[in-house]
Amino acid sequence: MANRIHPTAVIGPDVELGDGNVVGPYSVIVGPCRIGDGNWIGPHAVIGTPAEYRGGPHPVGWDGESAGTGVVIGDNNTIREFVTVNQGTQEITRVGDDCYLLARSHVGHDCVVDDVVTLSDGVQLGGHTHVWSWANIGMGTVVHQRGQVGPGAMVGMGSAVRRTVEPFTITVGNPARASGVNRVGLSRRGCTDDVLDAFETYLKGRADLPDGLPTQVAEQLAAWTKIISAEKE
């Protein structure tokens, strides 16, 4: 399936596009950047511009100049108006599959946004942030650089996230704090009521990780535990 690229869009020479993508009016995509299949990129989106460092290089990407480690975007994402995604500086900035990035949201340099993530209007991710699969971040939320938002977490609108958001929690406020368990998110991933109750006890530190978790959930939690444990060492 051919890509549909508006004639006013600017696509730099070091950009690889898959098939079936839509690129809207006045969008700018510069490289190094690789974008998969079936993405909808709205008007005025800007992807691949340099990291926002005052003293860093600011090459003219639309004329073929490039600096940074690149941007990789997967398949079937919706990237709405005025979204910005910056080049990586140490690692590639990544957006997975089936994500929905609402208008004016920002993915900073070296960020990783896993699969099926929702960034609501005006969400700002500081550099090196990792947002895990199925997370949903409410409008106007700011995540401090090098932050971690766990799988299935829901962050309420207008939050200031300054520390790690645990998996499948509901977090809100300034500073953002956990206020409960995302039972709806867990049930959508296939957890039964008994498992939900046991998982809530686990998050409170009163029990081990419960048996009977769906495979995908268990895999995400195992990966999360490994990463967080390594960071504490």
Side-chain angles (χ1 to χ4, degrees), residues 92-182:
I92 294 172
T93 302
R94 296 183 181 274
V95 177
D97 301 333
D98 299 299
C99 294
Y100 200 124
L101 278 56
L102 277 70
R104 299 174 301 281
S105 55
H106 172 68
V107 179
H109 62 86
D110 300 85
C111 285
V112 176
V113 177
D114 289 338
D115 299 338
V116 201
V117 166
T118 300
L119 303 183
S120 298
D121 293 80
V123 168
Q124 309 293 298
L125 301 182
H128 302 274
T129 293
H130 187 177
V131 181
W132 292 60
S133 292
W134 316 314
N136 189 322
I137 303 181
M139 68 176 69
T141 290
V142 178
V143 182
H144 194 276
Q145 61 193 34
R146 301 185 185 278
Q148 293 262 5
V149 179
M154 176 169 284
V155 182
M157 69 177 70
S159 298
V161 178
R162 293 157 48 184
R163 62 183 183 181
T164 297
V165 176
E166 296 293 330
F168 292 101
T169 55
I170 297 172
T171 299
V172 67
N174 183 1
R177 299 183 184 279
S179 62
V181 175
N182 185 6

Side-chain angles (χ1 to χ4, degrees), residues 5-41:
I5 302 173
H6 194 273
T8 62
V10 177
I11 309 294
D14 197 13
V15 174
E16 300 176 30
L17 280 172
D19 298 323
N21 296 293
V22 172
V23 181
Y26 303 103
S27 289
V28 177
I29 307 175
V30 296
C33 179
R34 186 171 74 250
I35 296 176
D37 302 331
N39 298 286
W40 191 96
I41 300 172

